[in-house]
Amino acid sequence: MSESGHHGQVSLRGRVIRITFANPENGYTVAKVQVPGRAGPLAVVGRMPGISEGMEIAFAGREILHPKFGLQVEAEQIQAQAPSDAEGVRRYLASGLVKGVGPKLAEAIVEALGVEALEVILHDPQRLRQVPGIGRKKAAVIAQAVADHGELREVMVFLQGHGVPASTALRIWRQYGAGTLGVLQTEPHRLAQDVRGIGLATADRIAQSIGLAADHPTRLQAGLLYSLSQASEEGHVYLPYEELMEAAARQLRVERGLLGPAFARLHNDRRLVLESDRPDQPVYLTGFQVLEERAAQALVALSGRPGLLPPERAEKALAWVSQALGFAPSPSQRTALVGLLTAGLGVLTGGPGTGKTTLVKALVTVVQRMGLHVLLAAPTGRAAKRLAEVSGLEAMTLHRLLEYSPKENRFQRGPENPLGADLVLVDESSMLDLWLAAHLLEALGPETRLLLVGDADQLPSVGPGLVFRQVMDSGAARVARLTEIHRQAQGGLLVANAHRILLGEMPLLPPPGQMADFFFLEEPDPAKAAELVRDLVVTRLPARFNLDPVQEIQVLAPMHRGQLGCAHLNQLLRAALNPRAGQAENLAPGDKVMQVRNNYELDAFNGDLGLVAGLEDEGCRVLMGGRELTYTPAEADDLTLAYAVTVHKSQGSEYPVVVLALGQEHFVMLNRPLLYTAVTRGKRLVVVVGHPAALAQAVRNAQPVRRYAGLDQRVRKMHG
């Protein structure tokens, strides 16, 4: 097996970790393949019908450096490879299910005991002591763990044959338990709906292996549900009926007419809901419709509650707090503060420098002076910490406020056990998705008021819904929008440029050689721009401003793909900032990482940043938020390199310095909310690097994010 440099022929083998594009008509596919010995996934393109995520493939072709998408292989030959039995055993042992065994020890066990390692462990466990580091006690623990999960071994073997990674196989097992094989062999399409990491393609492959026809009712139903689930991943709460049917027909590659009976069955079983009285005929997954309905009811109830003070007392409170805090409120600030003190449901919004922080502090001070109980919270730990610093009071994540129980997978706070505070104040409310907002609203006591604080011009929540914006538009809330800039450093451009972007105006740039807090470095060539980003982070900015390149500088990009995408930038920055990681396929000590899914057991949340402190057989240790967390191998799947992260993943965070990569390859993603969100993440300095046309496109494109969500409509309908 050989590997040559750019523009040469290569013959490689690896595992497909992601399908980024597939044309079912001609088989043209773009896949990300993890090749052993490479730091990151390799893009492979060409006619590759039938390949899917998790599959082992051997491929040969021409390695090129694409001007837009970076390094890739144009595949001329491709062949699916069955995973070796030894590899299957190794993956099973390292999956996290066998206590005390991680990747290194799993490798050593297979090396010592061979392909029959599991049988050896079951029938002659003392042979484990041949493996360095395993004594009598540990051998007994490992043997017991393997013996306890006999059916799981069968599941692993079955799924390995279908290209399903061990970590995903483990999630399938945890979902169905002892009934896993039954589901796999009779209802495989359930996996696409029930198990994270299993797409319809994988479920299809399993279904085909057991002889399930393409027009089988369970497959058609699964396609409809999967299309709705995929829409929710993109932020939608529902899909219009026509769009859903078209999307499912494309996904399943069947005639649309076949889907009618499948839709009717799902509707009759209440697995989805059609609201035929609305013009676009929205179709909801039942859970989302229930959440939206409950959230709307709670908002209507809140809107009818009296505020903390009647108007005349609110005016007096304003005079007192202005004197106590030593600030002279502008007319808009006066109106905002009085309005929010007199409302049962309030919204405070505004961009950087408009005085949101000052008003929050004033409100909290008034509430305390009145002897009332206020609870402060935010969607993320980082935002909660900032709120605590601003207010001088304890602030917590919403999950902690609502007392989420990982074991029971539910919140302890709710209608039966409500929050008894006089006021609940939530910062960074633009990050609220429908699920979290609905649970918060239902947990408010009958006398509790709610104040949502945030920046309505930022990108919406990662999860489904447009909660913050739709609460503002619903008519149920007292909305205070601050627009006047009160805070701006002498000669500073950062705050001014954030507001210019909102107005559709190009950012102001400093004269050459002048110190400033906002720069644009023009470099149209994406490969050179990527090198410039690396030089800025590694050398130039740390030297100029005495910065820690890992802890104080964050690189942002609109998307993962391309020369200026997060994947490529992470490779460049990792090689420079953590050279001891070498070409390691997995995480290495010293790596900057981000949690990409909530882990309630570890109290680690989507978007949290950390540093890998060490690797153990049991997983890895990560320094995160002042704590050292130990991740199992399965949990570590939710960590990704974070030298560069997407703008979407940066929501709710602030960094001392932001370096933003903008290229024409990001064209489809470039819009005003994205640019505004990126620029407002920087506290001291923002440096934009890339193509001037990309910057102009982002400023020019004011089109708001389109999401199908009906919270505002429901509230208005209930209001009458």
Side-chain angles (χ1 to χ4, degrees), residues 10 30 69 103 146 185 202 235-236 266 314 385 400 427 529 545 563 604 629 636 647 662 674 676 692:
V10 295
V30 180
F69 300 112
V146 173
Q185 294 169 350
T202 300
H236 302 293
L266 291 169
K385 185 180 179 182
R400 189 174 152 216
D427 200 10
F545 298 99
Q563 289 284 82
L629 307 179
V647 178
L662 284 184
L674 180 136
Y676 174 78

Side-chain angles (χ1 to χ4, degrees), residues 514-564:
Q514 182 175 310
M515 291 288 285
D517 56 6
F518 185 97
F519 294 93
F520 174 65
L521 303 185
E522 182 178 328
E523 178 48 77
D525 182 272
K528 292 180 180 176
E531 298 288 346
L532 177 54
V533 168
R534 181 190 62 187
D535 292 345
L536 282 166
V537 174
V538 176
T539 307
R540 292 167 59 174
L541 291 176
R544 183 88 176 264
F545 298 99
N546 192 29
L547 297 166
D548 182 320
V550 175
Q551 301 285 1
E552 295 182 287
I553 305 175
Q554 184 59 58
V555 175
L556 304 180
M559 58 202 300
H560 288 284
R561 299 193 302 274
Q563 289 284 82
L564 284 176

Side-chain angles (χ1 to χ4, degrees), residues 90-126:
R90 187 193 66 75
R91 288 186 185 179
Y92 165 65
L93 288 169
S95 65
L97 194 73
V98 182
K99 189 176 179 182
V101 179
K104 289 181 182 176
L105 190 55
E107 188 79 44
I109 292 172
V110 174
E111 189 174 330
L113 304 182
V115 71
E116 303 296 329
L118 293 179
E119 292 300 313
V120 172
I121 292 169
L122 282 170
H123 299 108
D124 191 7
Q126 288 308 306

